[in-house]
Amino acid sequence: MNPDAPPWEPRAWLPRYGGRRWPFAVLDVLLVVLLASCLFIEADLGRIDATAPYPLKPTWGLGEDWLLVTYDDPPQPPGQRPMTGAGGRRIDTAIELHLRHDGGRPLLVSLPLRTTATIAGYGVASLRTAYDRGGPQLLIREVESIVHASIDHYVEIGLGGLVSLADAVGGVRICADEPTRVAAPWASADCSTVSGDRALDYLRGGALPHARPGPAERRRRLIAAVIEKATSPDAALEPARVIAFVRTALAVVTVDKGNHLYDLVRLALALCDGAVTAKTIPTVGAWQPGIGQIVGWDPKTMAELVRSFVVDRPEPKGLIPG
């Protein structure tokens, strides 16, 4: 042995005493796994061309606007993607989410499905009829004609899909605003864990007093509860449940073809905002010769709501719990 040779040192790729390198290697592996998972989810999202351009489509408006559609359906079998578009299921709620450009509190408004408007080439139709005839594209076209602002993102999911997501995370805790009738002892003023039929009953409002809370707010609360539980620290200890949740979400959620995973993350954060509650707009009815009964929005509240969507004005005071 050469006494003048430098002292032996461990190879650079081997863990060193004191843990100088191996944590970085573990971090690199985790980042690669996270990136691969995001790419997989991005590629496997169900998509539909909902926000396709058309003549005179609005292109203005501060902030971003989402249209969230739910429809009533039974829970989906694992791996089966739901139908969508014209000739598919009838919608249950149409909810517009406005994200302010300055990062202020989001505005969540349930659009009454009986609302009627005139669509060029289609005549007078309600929101529900627009979806039945032309799917998400015609629905968005009618909504844009009413609010005078562009819908930037679209997502839809069935009530059965929401229940499947709740089941995938082992049920979620839901709190009722007040005690309910004896027919549903699980739904009390206290928080209870719901899943399966109980979650579906909650979404449909069969066990709750009238309009407490409204349909849109029930959907928001369940979605927020599912997201919070799926992203909780405890979920990281059960990777099998996380995988089941992701697989279920990919099977039951449909988004516009221009949406990406980071868009859905922003949507989830908005729905989980504790300061956000779903509201709806009062409606007024009128009889129009040759057409019949039409349903519109309260004029004053509608004017304020349009300004909220277009130029980020404060939430209208005339909105009611939805």
Side-chain angles (χ1 to χ4, degrees):
M1 178 179 295
N2 185 1
D4 297 328
W8 179 84
E9 292 184 0
R11 297 285 297 272
W13 53 270
L14 291 176
R16 292 189 175 183
Y17 179 76
R20 297 178 183 177
R21 290 185 178 274
W22 70 264
F24 297 100
V26 173
L27 181 60
D28 289 342
V29 172
L30 293 177
L31 289 176
V32 170
V33 172
L34 179 61
L35 178 60
S37 301
C38 292
L39 293 176
F40 169 75
I41 296 173
E42 177 77 23
D44 209 34
L45 276 172
R47 300 183 187 275
I48 186 174
D49 189 10
T51 58
Y54 59 86
L56 303 181
K57 178 182 175 70
T59 57
W60 54 81
L62 297 176
E64 294 184 14
D65 289 274
W66 283 80
L67 187 62
L68 171 61
V69 166
T70 66
Y71 48 85
D72 201 343
D73 67 335
Q76 293 291 323
Q80 178 176 330
R81 194 178 297 281
M83 295 167 50
T84 187
R89 297 176 173 86
R90 290 173 61 83
I91 60 175
D92 175 73
T93 57
I95 308 167
E96 184 166 354
L97 172 68
H98 178 71
L99 303 179
R100 298 174 58 91
H101 80 288
D102 59 2
R105 188 177 69 176
L107 175 61
L108 192 65
V109 180
S110 175
L111 309 178
L113 297 179
R114 298 182 300 118
T115 304
T116 52
T118 301
I119 310 174
Y122 292 89
V124 178
S126 66
L127 295 181
R128 188 189 300 276
T129 302
Y131 185 88
D132 292 342
R133 292 180 179 177
Q137 288 188 2
L138 190 58
L139 173 64
I140 287 177
R141 187 168 179 174
E142 180 165 358
V143 170
E144 289 178 335
S145 72
I146 298 173
V147 302
H148 304 290
S150 175
I151 298 296
D152 307 292
H153 308 282
Y154 177 84
V155 60
E156 69 176 28
I157 183 173
L159 300 189
L162 290 175
V163 172
S164 297
L165 290 176
D167 292 343
V169 296
V172 294
R173 291 182 63 80
I174 296 292
C175 300
D177 289 344
E178 61 181 50
T180 61
R181 62 173 183 259
V182 180
W186 57 268
S188 64
D190 298 326
C191 296
S192 301
T193 300
V194 299
S195 61
D197 292 340
R198 288 184 173 183
L200 189 60
D201 192 29
Y202 172 78
L203 290 171
R204 290 173 174 168
L208 297 173
H210 178 65
R212 291 185 182 273
E217 177 61 13
R218 291 198 300 271
R219 283 139 187 76
R220 187 204 67 80
R221 291 186 186 186
L222 187 71
I223 293 173
V226 168
I227 294 172
E228 289 173 357
K229 187 167 184 180
T231 57
S232 66
D234 293 340
L237 302 178
E238 300 182 88
R241 179 164 290 179
V242 174
I243 294 174
F245 170 78
V246 172
R247 292 182 59 187
T248 302
L250 292 175
V252 301
V253 177
T254 301
V255 300
D256 181 64
K257 71 175 186 179
N259 294 155
H260 301 284
L261 182 59
Y262 58 82
D263 293 317
L264 294 179
V265 171
R266 296 175 62 235
L267 172 64
L269 292 175
L271 294 177
C272 291
D273 189 336
V276 175
T277 57
K279 303 292 183 63
T280 190
I281 185 168
T283 58
V284 292
W287 181 267
Q288 185 169 339
I291 297 178
Q293 183 74 16
I294 61 173
V295 177
W297 296 351
D298 174 70
K300 181 180 179 181
T301 308
M302 176 179 177
E304 295 176 355
L305 184 62
V306 169
R307 288 194 291 268
S308 298
F309 286 145
V310 177
V311 293
D312 277 358
R313 293 296 299 273
E315 178 181 305
K317 296 181 179 180
L319 296 177
I320 58 178

